[in-house]
């Protein structure tokens, strides 16, 4: 619907939008749209502020205006028109610096209308005009009226949401200075602007991050906004983040990385920035220390909005953290074996204890199945070292260590998925060590049928893989062939002395299967301890999470010094 223009006395009709229908002829070779656009520019010189404001409001609704005329509105000096445009001199002066004059108007409503018009035109016009609009709107951050400043920053953000906006150092300096505004709403506007804009130089990027970190300490209520801003900045600047990450994480190739505290907001901010850049540039993971992957898992569980998993960082962080942890533990295990060879057992146990504490602390960061797997295995290794140490005494009882090793190895075998098949041999060897220690520590004969069975399984599965220097090489034959109990004890002592703690697998990611068993008949279970009749019915019920077999689960009942009982539960 067409309406009569309410603020001028020219003989024309204006329809809001792109269809402008004047009464009369266009100026020279200009189109109808260009002609009416220039006429509205001329009304910005009107002495009534309401007319100036409405004229600027109408200018923002124009589309398909000639680029030359649009650019002329941003410059008070008249430029030479293209050869295909015949613009009378008087008409050309009407559009010169029209928006600049509106932004410099003494009345707030006129400046606000000029900002709105630049926002609308900058969002749909050519990139060159949009860049010039951004430059003028950023300068409006120095306006005396808060409403005009807020409108200007929101307008720049709207333009940046429709086309790329690159801030130069001068524009960024103005925005960073405005972040000191005491008004929370104003600071929020500038945070959101930085979320959609980009910078190109390392100096600009560094200044931007330092200002955000400064505000993180100064304005505690801005924490959530700053974290969201850093998330978007990291995603938009992966190359700059890659060169900046070593400095913010305090990485030095001459020293081992020092783990930062998760209670530090500065460290959390750096983690947000880095891991959101990883989404677009996964190669950044190669320069990150191992502890950052543990921190990422914990922070993701607490704040998935800023630490979201993607195809780039979910598998990468898991595998990187897993590999780094296991390579480190294997190095410590090698040192422990050297200490055991030199019979420095207290130092070996102390080293294992410290490593176990580190794994326990890592488990507290979140659901880290790798750390729990390592922790269970280290506890079994502690019992092995304790057995080696107690062998130096004449009389000793290793029944407690034996039970603990058997329990831990069966827990690892039953509850963790992803372990290579070859690692099952390590668990069986540990159970053989446990049975051997029980026979050596006691002064009377035991039933070794269970031990013979385990050795026969090892022989069948690893007949060609044991090297001659291995303590298990030929053990399945030498132990049964021993004539007396003392000879058998000597064979087992030799086994315990030569046994070294095995390395952990580094080729796969471990996942823990969680489950619980509930006894359905507590009375019968209580009387099981005094029952002499075997077999005895035992009713169990439970639930299992992440089972490795969808058909059913194998239930194994362990009894001291005898072969375990197994059954298949559907």
């Amino acid at each position: 619907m067409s309406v009569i223009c309410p603020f001028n006395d020219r003989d024309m009709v204006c329809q809001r939008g792109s269809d402008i229908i004047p009464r009369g002829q266009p100026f020279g070779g200009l189109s109808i749209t260009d002609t009416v656009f220039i006429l509205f520019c001329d009304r910005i010189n009107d002495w009534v502020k309401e007319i100036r404001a409405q004229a600027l409001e109408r200018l923002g609704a124009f589309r398909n205006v000639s680029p030359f005329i649009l650019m002329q509105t941003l410059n008070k000096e008249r430029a030479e028109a293209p050869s295909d445009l015949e613009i009378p001199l008087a008409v050309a002066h009407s559009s010169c610096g029209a928006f600049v004059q509106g932004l410099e108007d003494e009345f707030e409503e006129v400046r606000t209308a000029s900002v709105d018009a630049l926002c609308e035109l900058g969002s749909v016009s050519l990139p060159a005009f949009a860049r010039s609009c951004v430059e003028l709107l950023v300068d409006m951050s120095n306006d005396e009226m808060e409403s005009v400043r807020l409108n200007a920053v929101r307008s720049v953000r709207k333009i940046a949401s429709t086309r790329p906006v690159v801030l130069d150092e001068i524009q960024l300096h103005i925005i960073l200075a405005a972040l000191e505004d005491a008004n929370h709403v104003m600071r929020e506007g500038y945070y959101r602007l930085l979320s959609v804009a980009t910078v190109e130089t390392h100096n600009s990027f560094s200044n931007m991050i330092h200002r955000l970190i400064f505000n993180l300490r100064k304005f505690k209520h801005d924490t959530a906004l700053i974290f969201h801003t850093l998330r978007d900045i990291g995603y938009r600047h992966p190359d700059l983040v890659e060169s900046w990450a070593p400095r913010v994480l305090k990485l030095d190739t001459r020293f081992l990385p020092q783990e930062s505290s998760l209670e530090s907001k500065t460290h959390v901010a750096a983690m947000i920035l880095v891991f959101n850049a990883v989404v677009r540039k996964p190669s950044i993971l190669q320069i990150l220390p191992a502890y950052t992957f543990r921190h990422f898992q914990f922070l993701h569980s607490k704040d998935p909005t800023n630490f979201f998993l993607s195809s780039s960082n979910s598998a990468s962080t898991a595998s990187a953290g897993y590999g780094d942890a296991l390579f480190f533990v294997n190095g410590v295990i090698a040192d422990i074996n050297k200490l055991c060879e030199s019979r420095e057992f207290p130092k070996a146990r102390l080293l294992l204890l410290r490593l176990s504490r580190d794994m326990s602390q890592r488990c507290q960061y979140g659901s880290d199945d790798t750390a729990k797997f390592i922790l269970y295995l280290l506890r079994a290794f502690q019992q092995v070292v304790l057995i080696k140490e107690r062998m130096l005494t004449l009389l000793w009882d290793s029944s407690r260590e034996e039970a603990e090793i058997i329990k831990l190895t069966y827990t690892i075998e039953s509850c963790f998925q992803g372990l290579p098949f070859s690692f099952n041999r390590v668990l069986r060897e540990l159970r053989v060590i446990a049975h051997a220690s029980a026979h050596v520590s006691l002064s009377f004969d035991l039933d070794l049928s269970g031990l013979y069975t385990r050795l026969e399984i090892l022989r069948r599965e690893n007949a060609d893989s044991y090297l001659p220097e291995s303590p298990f090489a030929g053990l399945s034959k030498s132990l049964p062939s021993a004539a007396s109990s003392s000879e058998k004890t000597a064979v087992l002592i030799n086994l315990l002395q030569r046994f070294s703690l095995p390395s952990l697998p580094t080729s796969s990611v471990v996942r823990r299967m969680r489950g619980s068993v509930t006894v359905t008949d507590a009375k019968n279970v209580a009387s099981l301890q005094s029952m002499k009749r075997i077999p005895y019915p035992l009713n169990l019920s439970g639930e299992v999470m992440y089972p490795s077999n969808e058909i059913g689960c194998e239930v194994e009942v362990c009894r001291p010094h005898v072969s375990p009982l197994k059954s298949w539960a559907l």
Side-chain angles (χ1 to χ4, degrees):
M1 182 179 68
S2 298
V3 295
I4 301 292
C5 236
F7 53 84
N8 63 47
D9 53 359
R10 297 181 185 275
D11 189 16
M12 69 178 180
V13 175
C14 169
Q15 180 181 358
R16 293 179 64 89
S18 60
D19 297 325
I20 307 297
I21 307 175
R23 294 176 185 171
Q25 298 298 322
F27 295 124
L30 297 179
S31 65
I32 296 177
T33 301
D34 292 342
T35 300
V36 180
F37 184 84
I38 292 175
L39 292 176
F40 275 104
C41 290
D42 184 60
R43 302 313 298 166
I44 297 178
N45 298 315
D46 199 285
W47 64 276
V48 180
K49 65 177 181 179
E50 288 79 6
I51 293 179
R52 298 198 299 273
Q54 291 185 32
L56 288 164
E57 181 182 353
R58 296 297 189 274
L59 289 175
F62 277 78
R63 301 295 182 267
N64 301 322
V65 181
S66 299
F68 171 77
I69 297 178
L70 279 178
M71 295 301 297
Q72 190 65 64
T73 60
L74 304 180
N75 191 352
K76 290 185 177 181
E77 296 181 1
R78 180 177 177 273
E80 183 177 354
S83 58
D84 58 340
L85 287 180
E86 298 179 4
I87 307 176
L89 183 61
V91 175
H93 281 295
S94 299
S95 61
C96 286
F99 286 120
V100 176
Q101 185 174 344
L103 294 174
E104 296 175 350
D105 198 281
E106 60 178 321
F107 292 99
E108 176 185 353
E109 52 265 45
V110 178
R111 300 198 300 275
T112 299
S114 183
V115 170
D116 292 336
L118 286 174
C119 175
E120 295 296 329
L121 292 174
S123 300
V124 298
S125 301
L126 296 176
F129 181 77
R131 288 194 296 269
S132 300
C133 290
V134 169
E135 184 177 352
L136 290 175
L137 292 173
V138 170
D139 289 338
M140 293 303 293
S141 298
N142 298 318
D143 195 275
E144 60 182 1
M145 300 302 299
E146 188 176 273
S147 61
V148 177
R149 299 198 302 271
L150 183 60
N151 190 23
V153 67
R154 289 176 175 174
S155 297
V156 176
R157 182 173 180 268
K158 182 178 180 181
I159 295 174
S161 63
T162 60
R163 61 188 67 230
V165 170
V166 180
L167 301 175
D168 59 30
E169 292 192 5
I170 297 177
Q171 295 169 354
L172 181 64
H173 177 75
I174 295 174
I175 294 173
L176 296 183
L179 285 176
E180 298 182 4
D181 199 296
N183 190 339
H184 171 75
V185 178
M186 287 298 306
R187 296 197 304 274
E188 179 181 359
Y190 288 107
Y191 291 142
R192 298 189 183 278
L193 170 57
L194 293 177
S195 297
V196 296
T198 58
V199 297
E200 293 183 335
T201 66
H202 289 81
N203 186 45
S204 297
F205 182 79
S206 178
N207 292 337
M208 178 171 58
I209 300 303
H210 284 304
R211 170 54 65 179
L212 291 173
I213 297 299
F214 176 81
N215 275 28
L216 188 64
R217 299 167 179 167
K218 182 177 181 180
F219 303 104
K220 297 182 179 180
H221 297 292
D222 293 358
T223 300
L225 285 171
I226 294 175
F227 283 170
H228 290 325
T229 303
L230 289 170
R231 176 197 63 189
D232 297 332
I233 290 175
Y235 182 80
R236 290 177 178 273
H237 303 82
D239 294 327
L240 294 175
V241 171
E242 183 178 24
S243 61
W244 184 79
R247 182 172 59 179
V248 69
L249 295 175
K250 300 178 182 179
L251 303 181
D252 192 333
T253 56
R254 299 171 298 176
F255 307 100
L256 293 175
Q258 183 178 2
E259 184 169 351
S260 301
S261 173
L262 282 171
E263 297 180 357
S264 170
K265 289 184 178 181
T266 303
H267 175 62
V268 175
M271 292 285 292
I272 291 175
L273 189 72
V274 170
F275 276 94
N276 280 279
V278 167
V279 176
R280 297 183 61 187
K281 195 164 188 178
S283 60
I284 299 177
L285 291 171
Q286 301 176 3
I287 65 175
L288 300 181
Y291 73 84
T292 58
F293 303 107
R294 303 197 308 268
H295 289 192
F296 172 82
Q297 294 175 357
F298 173 77
L299 293 170
H300 168 70
S301 65
K302 298 296 183 182
D303 187 9
T305 303
N306 293 321
F307 292 92
F308 59 92
L309 292 173
S310 68
S311 58
S312 299
N313 63 14
S314 58
S316 299
T317 53
S319 60
Y322 178 83
D324 289 343
L326 292 184
F327 278 119
F328 171 72
V329 172
N330 285 337
V332 176
I333 290 175
D335 295 337
I336 293 173
N337 285 328
K338 293 179 181 179
L339 292 174
C340 291
E341 290 177 2
S342 59
R343 296 190 176 186
E344 298 182 59
F345 298 111
K347 292 183 180 180
R349 287 192 293 107
L350 181 60
L351 195 56
L352 273 172
L353 180 61
R354 291 177 177 176
L355 189 57
S356 299
R357 288 176 179 175
D358 181 67
M359 290 298 109
S360 299
Q361 184 179 8
R362 178 172 174 172
C363 291
Q364 296 175 0
Y365 289 144
S367 181
D368 192 337
D369 293 342
T370 301
K372 292 177 181 177
F373 159 70
I374 297 175
L375 184 60
Y376 279 123
L377 202 56
L378 290 178
R379 289 174 179 172
F381 289 172
Q382 289 176 0
Q383 306 306 317
V384 173
V385 173
L386 193 59
I387 289 172
K388 286 176 171 287
E389 183 178 8
R390 290 187 175 182
M391 284 178 57
L392 301 178
T393 61
L394 296 177
L395 296 176
W396 53 287
D397 183 5
S398 66
S399 58
R400 180 178 299 178
E401 291 79 11
E402 176 200 12
E404 187 70 12
I405 291 175
I406 293 177
K407 181 183 73 172
L408 290 170
T409 53
Y410 275 118
T411 300
I412 295 173
E413 185 176 3
S414 304
C415 297
F416 289 93
Q417 302 178 26
L419 293 173
F421 179 77
S422 59
F423 192 75
N424 291 331
R425 181 184 70 179
V426 173
L427 300 177
R428 294 190 179 98
E429 290 175 353
L430 287 172
R431 289 195 281 270
V432 169
I433 293 298
H435 281 251
S437 67
H439 177 77
V440 172
S441 63
L442 300 178
S443 301
F444 52 87
D445 293 337
L446 294 176
D447 181 9
L448 296 180
S449 59
L451 180 59
Y452 291 156
T453 301
R454 297 188 186 280
L455 289 175
E456 181 62 22
I457 294 175
L458 283 175
R459 187 193 67 79
R460 290 199 307 265
E461 293 182 353
N462 310 282
D464 300 329
S465 61
Y466 277 126
L467 298 176
E469 59 269 17
S470 172
F472 291 94
L475 184 63
S476 60
K477 295 181 179 180
S478 60
L479 183 61
S481 62
S484 63
S485 176
S486 59
E487 292 180 359
K488 293 181 180 180
T489 302
V491 172
L492 294 178
I493 290 177
N494 180 63
L495 170 67
L496 295 175
Q497 292 176 342
R498 294 176 57 196
F499 178 76
S500 299
L501 301 181
S503 300
L504 278 65
T506 60
S507 58
S508 58
V509 178
V510 176
R511 186 179 184 185
R512 185 185 182 192
M513 182 175 64
R514 298 169 178 84
S516 60
V517 177
T518 305
V519 178
T520 58
D521 192 347
K523 182 178 179 180
N524 289 341
V525 173
S527 61
L528 180 63
Q529 298 178 359
S530 59
M531 290 297 297
K532 304 297 183 181
R533 179 169 55 89
I534 299 294
Y536 185 82
L538 183 63
N539 298 322
L540 301 176
S541 65
E543 59 181 14
V544 179
M545 298 176 61
Y546 312 125
S548 57
N549 193 316
E550 297 180 356
I551 300 177
C553 297
E554 186 182 50
V555 178
E556 184 170 357
V557 180
C558 301
R559 298 177 295 164
H561 312 309
V562 294
S563 302
L565 300 177
K566 296 184 179 181
S567 62
W568 192 259
L570 298 178

